[in-house]
Amino acid sequence: MQDTAIAAIGRLQLKQMGDLEPVDLYIQNMYPGREYDMILIVFELSKNNHKWECDFKNIDIEKVSAESNYKKYAYRKKRGSGGDVTFTTKNGPRKDNKKLKTLRNKQFVRLIQKLKKSNLTEELEIFSAINNAFLDNYDRIEEEYLQNVEVYEKSKKLSGVTFCFEKDNERLYLKDFEINKQIIIENGTVGKYKQADGIESKANNKICSITGNIENEVWGLAFPFTYSTVDKKGFISGFFNKANNWKNYPISEKTTIELEYGKKYIEQYLNSDFYYYKYLMIPRPFIQTDDHTLSNILKFLSKLTAEAGKERKER
């Protein structure tokens, strides 16, 4: 079963990265294993008479490191329309210009509403000020942003867009705000057992399909890759009842985290393509209990995929 191997890879990564924050497990690399730039919409934050104020400064560009610095942008893909989980998103075609409109019309509204229901009063004031600055300068921001998008379109170089904030000569990113951490963790965990329609698939004191042990709670939507579709009746067993999907694929919360991180490693270091067909390399699960052997195999396979990618670029 390949998910046993994915979980073993994730478990090994977690052991080797003991200083991770919980949110780091759910932040995704926008383009795993690829070089890309991030278009930053930069705002200046300041306090005046104990009140937060915000001004649009400029558009800036940062190169994204696949190793570490992608986490500060707090990117996580969201299924369906309405934008990704946070403000950070991939750039689309210049002619569509859906990205900024989605930020303006949907994502800021959702974020402000969520902050009003939280106890993060200072962040509510900060993002309210940012929203006002974004709306007041929207035409200018849109013009400068689309000019940059056009450059990346012509060069066919990968890019994304996010917000960046300067305060007291220091740069802050989305990950520096508690509300974004909460949103990412919530999206990363709730979606493993609950769908958008509110139906939950989980059970207590059942056997996890990965560990083979009885766990306090198992979830039914925690598969790392999309093996089946549970939003269409014809694809659901258990008399077409979504809530019973945990019977098909029970996974514990701890294993879900291991699968999440194993998937991230595979997508970043063990991916390649053959005649435009992308594929992932996953070691056989019989080596799962041997960390040393697994680590050596991962290094070997990662080196192979990196060399293959380099050869394709040189052709």
Side-chain angles (χ1 to χ4, degrees):
M1 184 178 181
Q2 68 178 18
D3 285 356
T4 306
I6 297 172
I9 293 170
R11 198 177 307 121
L12 179 63
Q13 299 309 305
L14 290 169
K15 287 179 182 178
Q16 294 175 347
M17 300 179 178
D19 59 344
L20 290 174
E21 293 183 62
V23 69
D24 290 333
L25 302 176
Y26 299 103
I27 292 176
Q28 296 173 334
N29 191 341
M30 187 175 286
Y31 298 101
R34 309 282 293 277
E35 293 182 358
Y36 61 100
D37 289 348
M38 191 67 70
I39 298 175
L40 303 178
I41 302 174
V42 185
F43 294 91
E44 283 188 306
L45 287 170
S46 59
K47 253 189 175 181
N48 186 14
N49 294 326
H50 305 288
K51 184 178 180 181
W52 283 102
E53 295 182 349
C54 181
D55 294 300
F56 170 64
K57 183 180 179 183
N58 63 347
I59 300 286
D60 198 6
I61 307 292
E62 284 186 351
K63 291 192 177 297
V64 183
S65 164
E67 296 300 325
S68 59
N69 80 339
Y70 73 89
K71 293 175 184 175
K72 65 186 179 183
Y73 305 114
Y75 170 75
R76 185 173 177 85
K77 181 176 175 57
K78 181 181 178 184
R79 294 173 183 170
S81 60
D84 288 316
V85 174
T86 69
F87 292 143
T88 305
T89 189
K90 295 179 180 179
N91 286 314
R94 185 188 191 283
K95 62 180 181 180
D96 288 347
N97 187 25
K98 292 180 180 178
K99 301 300 182 179
L100 291 191
K101 290 178 181 176
T102 299
L103 290 174
R104 180 187 64 186
N105 301 332
K106 295 182 179 180
Q107 288 187 270
F108 258 117
V109 175
R110 288 202 301 259
L111 183 68
I112 298 298
Q113 287 176 345
K114 192 170 186 67
L115 280 166
K116 286 180 178 178
K117 296 177 182 178
S118 74
N119 59 354
L120 302 171
T121 53
E122 185 172 43
E123 291 195 10
L124 171 59
E125 187 179 329
I126 289 172
F127 278 101
S128 296
I130 294 167
N131 186 31
N132 290 335
F134 183 61
L135 295 176
D136 291 343
N137 296 275
Y138 184 82
D139 291 341
R140 179 187 164 196
I141 292 172
E142 181 182 52
E143 181 181 0
E144 294 185 26
Y145 165 70
L146 292 178
Q147 287 174 357
N148 281 276
V149 170
E150 186 174 20
V151 171
Y152 283 99
E153 252 188 327
K154 289 180 178 178
S155 66
K156 295 185 179 180
K157 188 173 181 180
L158 300 173
S159 66
V161 60
T162 190
F163 289 151
C164 174
F165 316 99
E166 293 188 351
K167 180 177 74 72
D168 301 329
N169 297 318
E170 178 187 8
R171 277 201 164 176
L172 301 175
Y173 298 85
L174 292 184
K175 189 190 170 188
D176 293 309
F177 296 91
E178 185 63 31
I179 187 62
N180 292 309
K181 293 181 183 180
Q182 291 181 10
I183 289 172
I184 288 175
I185 292 174
E186 180 181 312
N187 179 270
T189 55
V190 172
K192 303 298 183 183
Y193 64 81
K194 185 176 181 179
Q195 286 214 301
D197 56 13
I199 294 177
E200 295 186 358
S201 179
K202 60 182 179 179
N204 300 112
N205 300 316
K206 301 296 181 183
I207 295 176
C208 171
S209 61
I210 305 297
T211 65
N213 301 323
I214 294 177
E215 306 289 352
N216 292 334
E217 185 172 272
V218 294
W219 298 345
L221 305 172
F223 30 82
F225 298 101
T226 305
Y227 306 130
S228 61
T229 306
V230 296
D231 61 350
K232 296 179 177 62
K233 290 186 177 180
F235 289 87
I236 307 170
S237 59
F239 298 101
F240 307 126
N241 187 345
K242 295 181 189 178
N244 286 337
N245 203 61
W246 67 266
K247 296 179 180 180
N248 304 324
Y249 199 76
I251 301 178
S252 69
E253 180 179 4
K254 179 185 177 185
T255 304
T256 296
I257 294 174
E258 293 171 353
L259 288 170
E260 181 86 12
Y261 223 73
K263 175 186 176 183
K264 288 174 69 172
Y265 183 91
I266 291 165
E267 287 181 332
Q268 183 160 328
Y269 297 108
L270 303 181
N271 75 90
S272 191
D273 59 73
F274 183 75
Y275 283 95
Y276 303 104
Y277 285 94
K278 291 186 177 181
Y279 63 88
L280 303 173
M281 292 197 294
I282 303 174
R284 291 289 295 275
F286 63 81
I287 45 79
Q288 63 176 298
T289 57
D290 185 347
D291 285 353
H292 179 70
T293 303
L294 178 57
S295 179
N296 288 336
I297 289 174
L298 292 178
K299 289 177 183 177
F300 175 72
L301 292 177
S302 299
K303 183 179 179 181
L304 281 182
T305 54
E307 289 176 352
K310 185 178 179 181
E311 286 180 7
R312 286 195 304 273
K313 288 181 181 178
E314 292 175 348
R315 288 173 189 166

